Amino acid sequence: MKNVAVIGAGTMGNGIAHTFAQSGFKVQLIDISEESLKKGIATISKNLDRMVAKENITEADKAETLGNITTFTSIKEGVEYASLVVEAATENIDLKLNIFKQLDEACPKDTILATNTSSISITQIGAVTSRPDMVIGMHFMNPVPIMKLVEIIRGYNTSDEVTSTIMELSKTLGKTPTEVNDYPGFVANRILMPMLNESIETLYNGVAGVEEIDTVMKLGMAHPMGPLQLADFIGLDVCLSILNVMYDGFKNPKYAPCPLLVNMVRAGKLGVKSGEGFYDYSESRKAETVAKQFLK
């Protein structure tokens, strides 16, 4: 398994492509937007420069990693020789189901189809393909090149062989794979998102301000980043989407998104990526400061 296709050149997609390419895999990075592909490659290059500056890799390592990545705007062309596809598109069920229908038609019959979804049912995704036994979740953490965990999610029909293959593959990437079952939010977001949502509720109810809430959690609970700052980093639209999936899946009011989160997303205040969330990132320098603090 040396040819890996990655669908989506955004934050998660380019991080996944970076990680596979740095581990010696030939990566086909696919996105419908040529501009997104250019931005994705630029981000990978910038992150590699940071690693060179820290003397974690050499300039030759950087060149080899970038040389392992080829970009495509067509799914059919990009997955032609892929042994594994990792989908990392926007967390939208209709979009993902459509992508997996295309992948099922375009990929070789022995290609494993993985999704980086952070909450959507693997079983539901697999059901739109003719190979549900070969559909699995690979939930990487952000930033992908640094974070060690990969949640490996088995759908109801995912085979033991595919699960074992992906577990071992994750280890070759220097990751720690952890197998979980297919329920809304899996483990990471089932625990994380209610905490972030409760932090937003705390702000919404006027218990304390943004910086005060984050300070309590950083200094009192030893979190490297406050929950509101973390929500900004993840993307408030992503947080809302995950909470909606869990609320729909469990019908439990504890997963209902806070009205403040809903209104902020409606207003386009999505966090770092939009320039404003719970904090102001209108100056690019401020956004970079937050990212660097997290990456230390």
Side-chain angles (χ1 to χ4, degrees), residues 81-101:
Y81 302 108
S83 299
L84 168 69
V85 177
V86 182
E87 171 272 321
T90 304
E91 193 74 351
N92 177 289
I93 181 60
D94 293 330
L95 174 62
K96 289 186 184 292
L97 295 182
N98 181 51
I99 289 173
F100 271 79
K101 288 177 184 177

Side-chain angles (χ1 to χ4, degrees), residues 73-288:
T73 54
S74 164
I75 285 181
K76 185 176 181 179
E77 294 179 6
V79 303
E80 186 175 4
Y81 302 108
S83 299
L84 168 69
V85 177
V86 182
E87 171 272 321
T90 304
E91 193 74 351
N92 177 289
I93 181 60
D94 293 330
L95 174 62
K96 289 186 184 292
L97 295 182
N98 181 51
I99 289 173
F100 271 79
K101 288 177 184 177
Q102 294 182 61
L103 291 174
D104 189 41
E105 293 178 1
C107 291
K109 293 302 180 183
D110 59 350
T111 301
I112 296 173
L113 305 182
T115 173
N116 183 59
T117 181
S118 52
S119 60
I120 296 170
S121 169
I122 308 304
T123 304
Q124 184 178 6
I125 292 173
V128 302
T129 74
S130 63
R131 60 182 96 186
D133 59 317
M134 301 183 71
V135 176
I136 194 167
M138 290 186 78
H139 181 206
F140 291 86
M141 304 293 126
N142 186 30
V144 180
I146 294 173
M147 301 292 277
K148 293 293 186 182
L149 176 66
V150 183
E151 268 188 311
I152 306 299
I153 306 102
R154 292 185 65 138
Y156 187 81
N157 293 305
T158 307
S159 72
D160 291 340
E161 182 181 359
V162 166
T163 302
S164 176
T165 297
I166 296 303
M167 292 285 285
E168 291 304 313
L169 176 66
S170 299
K171 293 176 185 177
T172 69
L173 300 175
K175 304 300 185 184
T176 302
T178 302
E179 183 182 335
V180 305
N181 290 319
D182 188 18
Y183 291 95
F186 315 131
V187 172
N189 282 316
R190 184 169 178 171
I191 295 171
L192 174 63
M193 286 301 154
M195 185 194 76
L196 298 187
N197 197 43
E198 191 62 31
S199 301
I200 299 169
E201 284 277 3
T202 303
L203 176 66
Y204 180 59
N205 292 330
V207 179
V210 171
E211 293 187 6
E212 288 75 14
I213 292 169
D214 278 356
T215 297
V216 168
M217 296 304 291
K218 285 190 290 185
L219 300 185
M221 311 302 167
H223 290 193
M225 179 180 284
L228 299 177
Q229 192 176 40
L230 177 57
D232 276 354
F233 188 79
I234 294 170
L236 302 190
D237 54 336
V238 175
C239 294
L240 178 59
S241 177
I242 295 170
L243 284 165
N244 280 331
V245 167
M246 293 197 295
Y247 182 55
D248 183 62
F250 292 115
K251 301 296 190 292
N252 188 322
K254 74 178 182 179
Y255 298 114
C258 175
L260 175 58
L261 174 62
V262 174
N263 277 339
M264 290 181 71
V265 173
R266 286 173 177 168
K269 297 181 179 182
L270 310 180
V272 174
K273 61 185 171 185
S274 70
E276 184 179 2
F278 293 107
Y279 291 86
D280 180 8
Y281 309 96
S282 53
E283 298 175 24
S284 59
R285 179 177 56 81
K286 292 181 179 179
E288 289 179 2

